[in-house]
Amino acid sequence: MRDLEFPLFKTKIENSPKFDLTDVKDRQKYFELKVGEEIKKLREYLKENTFIVYLLGKKNSGKGTYAKMFKEIVDKDRVEHFSIGDMIREVDKELKDGEKKKELINFLEKNYRGFIPLKDIIDSLEDRSTSKLLPSELILVLAKREIAKKERKAIFIDGFLRELDQVSYSLFFRDLIDYRQDPDIFVLIDVPEAVIDERIKNRVVCPLCQTSRSLKLLPTKKVEYDQKEKRVHLICDNSECKGARMVAKEGDELGIELIKERLKTDENLIKQAFSLYGIPKVLLRNSMPKDKTKEFVDDYEITPEYSYGWDGKNRKVKIIEKPWQILDDNKVTCYSLMPPPVVVSLIKQIVEALNLT
Ligand SMILES: [Zn+2]
C-alpha cells in the first residue's frame, strides 16, 4: 500500500520439508509444523472465550480465503465468518418470505435508530434493482443481529462497506467495538494492486457450474490446446460438466480499470482504520520483496505462475511453472505469497493480540 509500511513476516523454518499447499492434508501438516503451538493455545482459549475480528482489505484481496482457512485449521465449530455483502443478500431473501419478513420488520422496529423512516428503508430494500444506498444505521443494526446469532463463537466480519462514507465508517466501528464483551481485533490486509489486476484479468469461469479458476494462477487438472486459436483453455474439473471449457467474463480483460475508484476508497478506509487507537491491529501482507524471500519464506510458500506451450511432436500441452513476480504499489519487485503463509502470520499475530503467549 502506498505510504503505509506493513512489516515483513518470517515464516521460513530451517530444513522445512516441502509441502504442497494446495492439498488439504499437506496443508494441515504444514500448519502443525509452523504454528502447532499457537493453534493449541487458540483452541484452548476458544473453549471458554471468543473474539471479533474486522477484516479490512481491498476488493479481491482474499479476505474470505484467509478467514475460511483460519476456521478450517483452528476450530470449525467455534469460528464463524460472515461478509456484510452476503448478509445484505440474505436480507433480500428474507423480504421475499412472508413469515421471515414479518420477523425482520419486528426486529427493526425494536432496534433500528436512524433518520430515515423504517418504511422507506423497507421499500428501498425491496427495490434494489437500482442498487440504492443503504443507510449505515441499518447496516449497523443488521450486523449486530448477525453477531448476536453467533453468541458463543469467534467471528470474522468481512467488513468493507461500499456504501459507507468516511464519517459513517468510523461511526460504524465506534458503535460496534465493545458491543460484545470480548476482544475486538482489526486485521488489515495489504495486497498490491498488480495482484488484484492479474487475478481479474486471468480468471475464467465454468459456464455450467460457475466454478472460478485462473489460467495463470490456478489452473484445472486438464488443459486443452486449441489448434485453430493457437491458445489453451482450462477444462472444468467437475465431472458433471463433461469437459466444459472455462471462459473469461466480459470486462475482466480490463482488470482493475473498472474498480479503480473503489480501490482508492478502500485504501483510504484502511488507512483510517490503521490510525484508530485502542484496538489491536494485525497487519498482513500478501507479497514479499524478491530480495528478502530467501531469508523470510520457504520456496513452496511463493505463489507459482503457469504459462503454456504446445509440444507438436508429442501433441501435448507444455506447462511451465515459475515464481509469480509482480511490482507492488511502491514499484518494488515482489513475489506473491500463497494463502497459508499469510494465515500463519494471522494466527501468530492473533495469539499475540489476545495475550496468549
Ligand atoms: Zn463446471
Side-chain angles (χ1 to χ4, degrees):
M1 205 162 314
R2 286 167 218 101
D3 321 314
L4 202 60
E5 198 59 43
F6 278 54
L8 302 179
F9 197 88
K10 186 169 177 172
T11 50
K12 187 183 176 104
I13 290 181
E14 286 311 319
N15 306 318
S16 161
K18 190 176 164 27
F19 295 100
D20 174 3
L21 296 183
T22 61
D23 178 82
V24 179
K25 285 229 168 74
D26 242 26
R27 203 153 65 208
Q28 268 165 359
K29 287 183 210 149
Y30 164 84
F31 280 111
E32 186 54 40
L33 176 71
K34 299 221 165 175
V35 270
E37 280 305 307
E38 285 84 354
I39 291 172
K40 258 188 236 154
K41 283 177 188 166
L42 279 169
R43 284 184 186 152
E44 196 53 41
Y45 173 88
L46 287 169
K47 280 183 190 164
E48 299 289 334
N49 312 279
T50 59
F51 57 83
I52 296 185
V53 160
Y54 302 94
L55 288 165
L56 306 169
K58 290 179 185 172
K59 189 177 163 64
N60 282 313
S61 60
K63 292 177 297 235
T65 308
Y66 300 141
K68 283 175 197 150
M69 200 170 281
F70 183 98
K71 176 183 157 98
E72 167 198 308
I73 292 297
V74 174
D75 196 329
K76 284 195 190 72
D77 298 324
R78 308 197 65 85
V79 179
E80 276 295 335
H81 161 257
F82 86 89
S83 91
I84 302 279
D86 291 347
M87 176 186 89
I88 306 281
R89 279 184 283 277
E90 275 306 306
V91 169
D92 285 341
K93 274 190 223 155
E94 283 175 51
L95 286 170
K96 293 197 181 84
D97 179 322
E99 206 44 46
K100 285 186 178 157
K101 180 176 168 182
K102 238 189 257 165
E103 278 171 37
L104 177 68
I105 292 177
N106 254 329
F107 169 83
L108 289 175
E109 277 171 351
K110 281 193 202 109
N111 297 285
Y112 166 75
R113 309 273 177 275
F115 295 105
I116 302 170
L118 192 55
K119 192 187 166 302
D120 294 0
I121 289 182
I122 301 290
D123 289 347
S124 82
L125 270 173
E126 285 185 310
D127 172 33
R128 296 261 287 150
S129 50
T130 49
S131 72
K132 266 185 220 149
L133 291 187
L134 295 177
S136 44
E137 291 90 349
L138 177 74
I139 299 177
L140 188 61
V141 75
L142 290 172
K144 284 181 176 171
R145 181 179 69 149
E146 212 55 42
I147 293 171
K149 278 188 207 160
K150 304 168 173 46
E151 200 186 344
R152 312 250 311 125
K153 293 179 176 184
I155 312 177
F156 282 76
I157 303 179
D158 200 332
F160 259 144
L161 308 163
R162 197 196 305 233
E163 282 88 358
L164 295 190
D165 58 36
Q166 302 218 0
V167 177
S168 334
Y169 179 78
S170 57
L171 282 177
F172 180 81
F173 283 118
R174 227 169 280 166
D175 206 291
L176 268 192
I177 286 165
D178 291 335
Y179 169 65
R180 219 164 74 170
Q181 295 304 311
D182 50 1
D184 298 287
I185 303 168
F186 273 180
V187 171
L188 312 185
I189 304 169
D190 182 21
V191 175
E193 288 192 355
V195 168
I196 301 177
D197 190 49
E198 296 269 314
R199 278 185 189 155
I200 298 174
K201 281 181 178 157
N202 290 287
R203 83 184 155 198
V204 284
V205 178
C206 171
L208 300 177
C209 70
Q210 310 302 325
T211 299
S212 176
R213 286 307 188 85
S214 169
L215 261 173
K216 182 168 172 176
L217 304 166
L218 190 62
T220 48
K221 288 195 192 80
K222 197 170 169 216
V223 181
E224 194 173 81
Y225 185 77
D226 188 312
Q227 301 282 0
K228 268 195 213 125
E229 295 174 18
K230 299 223 180 306
R231 53 160 295 194
V232 294
H233 293 273
L234 297 186
I235 302 301
C236 182
D237 280 333
N238 190 343
S239 61
E240 280 167 31
C241 297
K242 298 196 168 67
R245 273 185 183 182
M246 302 182 97
V247 291
K249 270 194 287 187
E250 213 181 304
D252 276 0
E253 72 280 0
L254 296 168
I256 54 171
E257 211 44 54
L258 298 176
I259 54 168
K260 272 246 147 89
E261 278 309 304
R262 169 78 194 277
L263 293 179
K264 205 189 263 170
T265 318
D266 288 356
E267 180 160 316
N268 287 335
L269 295 180
I270 294 172
K271 284 179 177 163
Q272 211 184 357
F274 191 85
S275 58
L276 255 179
Y277 291 104
I279 171 161
K281 288 171 203 83
V282 166
L283 303 177
L284 300 179
R285 48 184 299 155
N286 141 296
S287 64
M288 175 72 61
K290 192 178 171 184
D291 58 358
K292 301 280 186 204
T293 48
K294 276 255 166 310
E295 182 190 345
F296 281 87
V297 298
D298 284 308
D299 286 347
Y300 61 81
E301 294 178 316
I302 296 169
T303 308
E305 87 167 72
Y306 301 90
S307 54
Y308 309 89
W310 177 243
D311 174 357
K313 208 169 123 211
N314 296 308
R315 307 195 57 73
K316 255 184 16 193
V317 178
K318 278 187 296 190
I319 300 176
I320 302 132
E321 186 183 325
K322 64 173 189 196
W324 182 28
Q325 190 174 306
I326 36 106
L327 287 179
D328 75 5
D329 298 344
N330 298 310
K331 303 288 172 228
V332 176
T333 303
C334 282
Y335 284 149
S336 171
L337 300 176
M338 304 272 287
V342 182
V343 174
V344 162
S345 163
L346 172 66
I347 289 174
K348 285 203 175 176
Q349 292 186 66
I350 285 190
V351 164
E352 261 174 52
L354 295 170
N355 281 317
L356 306 181
T357 45

